[in-house]
Amino acid sequence: MRIGFLVRRGNPDGLGLATTLADGLRARGIDAVFVDDYGEDPPPGFSIGPGAEVARDADILVALGGDGTFLHGAVLVGDHDVPLLGLNLGSLGFLTPYATSEARAALVDAVEGRLGVEERMRLHVTLRASGGRVESHSALNEAVITQQNLARLMDLAASL
């Protein structure tokens, strides 16, 4: 089994918690790998890799941060059918359900298959701008379209 860790930027306490959790997994013979292209520098002595690869190869991705980190993790795992476990490092988190005090128990439950999986729909957003430019993105929670310097009319189409 392989567990990936995605730690929020600017949160060394989160990195400490992730390291403690990863050490516990290692003691159980479970591989822990840290995302190295987002957030804090991974701790020494653990496997590291780009977020896209860690998410693709993990059995579970653990996002330590707030809703922004969770949403970034959702983008990484979205096409790989990998469960995402959100650990809330702040005071308010709508998408990250587990507090730091619950982190170890939640991770153990997830690893042992006792934690339920909540399926979520994703949005696929495609923007076709004037001049032929096309951008496509996936989103878990919401998609925002903003105007730039000049207000212009837009044609929008939504479909299921």
Side-chain angles (χ1 to χ4, degrees), residues 134-152:
V134 177
E135 293 180 32
S136 291
H137 302 277
S138 289
L140 174 65
N141 202 36
E142 62 190 22
V144 177
I145 300 171
T146 62
Q147 67 185 35
Q148 291 180 336
N149 296 335
L150 299 172
R152 298 177 192 258

Side-chain angles (χ1 to χ4, degrees), residues 40 55 158:
E40 295 294 312

Side-chain angles (χ1 to χ4, degrees), residues 70-81:
F70 187 85
L71 291 171
H72 182 69
V75 169
L76 294 175
V77 300
D79 292 331
H80 304 295
D81 198 30

Side-chain angles (χ1 to χ4, degrees), residues 45-146:
F46 287 96
S47 300
I48 61 172
E53 289 178 19
V54 171
R56 181 193 68 217
D57 298 336
D59 294 295
I60 299 169
L61 182 65
V62 180
L64 294 95
D67 289 349
T69 304
F70 187 85
L71 291 171
H72 182 69
V75 169
L76 294 175
V77 300
D79 292 331
H80 304 295
D81 198 30
V82 172
L84 178 63
L85 176 62
L87 303 178
N88 186 10
L89 299 181
S91 58
L92 186 64
F94 296 104
L95 299 172
T96 51
Y98 297 99
T100 55
S101 61
E102 303 168 305
R104 185 182 179 287
L107 182 56
V108 168
D109 285 347
V111 166
E112 294 181 357
R114 292 190 308 260
L115 195 63
V117 175
E118 183 178 324
E119 298 282 334
R120 302 270 180 111
M121 285 195 321
R122 292 186 306 157
L123 301 171
H124 183 77
V125 179
T126 302
L127 172 66
R128 290 176 175 79
S130 59
R133 191 180 88 234
V134 177
E135 293 180 32
S136 291
H137 302 277
S138 289
L140 174 65
N141 202 36
E142 62 190 22
V144 177
I145 300 171
T146 62

